[in-house]
């Protein structure tokens, strides 16, 4: 779990560059809940089932239905006494109300 997360973050290049100068984002396919945490680095982290992951490891392409992208803008400062956990739980609650989580 946690070691997998650290390895994903350590191994991720964030951006790749072709010899002609074209750049494109990094991607990561994994089988546990820590895989999408590399999204915080700007990498498309995608959690999949074990069968899909095994197929990718054997060279098969993976197809995905891309979800609707929902943005969440944060601005200002948190009030004294409000923790990062409070912030994350509030964001999660609002995203659930929107239908983006759950």
């Amino acid at each position: 779990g946690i070691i997998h997360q650290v390895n994903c973050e350590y191994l991720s290049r964030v951006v790749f560059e072709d010899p002609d100068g074209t750049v494109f984002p990094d991607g990561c396919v994994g089988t546990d809940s820590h895989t999408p945490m590399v999204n915080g680095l700007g990498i498309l982290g995608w959690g999949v089932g074990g069968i899909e992951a095994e197929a990718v490891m054997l060279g098969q392409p993976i197809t995905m239905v891309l979800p609707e992208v929902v943005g969440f803008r944060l601005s200002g400062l948190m009030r004294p006494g409000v923790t990062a956990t409070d912030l994350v739980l509030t964001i999660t609650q609002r995203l659930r109300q929107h239908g983006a989580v759950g």
Side-chain angles (χ1 to χ4, degrees), residues 18-95:
D18 280 344
D20 66 359
T22 303
V23 295
F24 53 96
D26 195 355
C28 176
V29 174
T31 61
D32 69 14
S33 61
H34 293 102
T35 301
M37 295 184 80
V38 298
N39 289 330
L41 298 173
I43 298 161
L44 176 59
W46 207 274
V48 299
I51 293 173
E52 292 89 349
E54 287 180 33
V56 170
M57 288 187 284
L58 294 172
Q60 296 297 312
I62 185 168
T63 58
M64 308 177 214
V65 177
L66 297 178
E68 175 186 352
V69 176
V70 176
F72 203 96
R73 183 181 304 269
L74 301 175
S75 63
L77 299 172
M78 294 191 298
R79 292 185 307 243
V82 176
T83 67
T85 301
D86 296 328
L87 175 64
V88 169
L89 291 173
T90 300
I91 291 171
T92 302
Q93 179 185 26
R94 292 192 182 168
L95 288 172

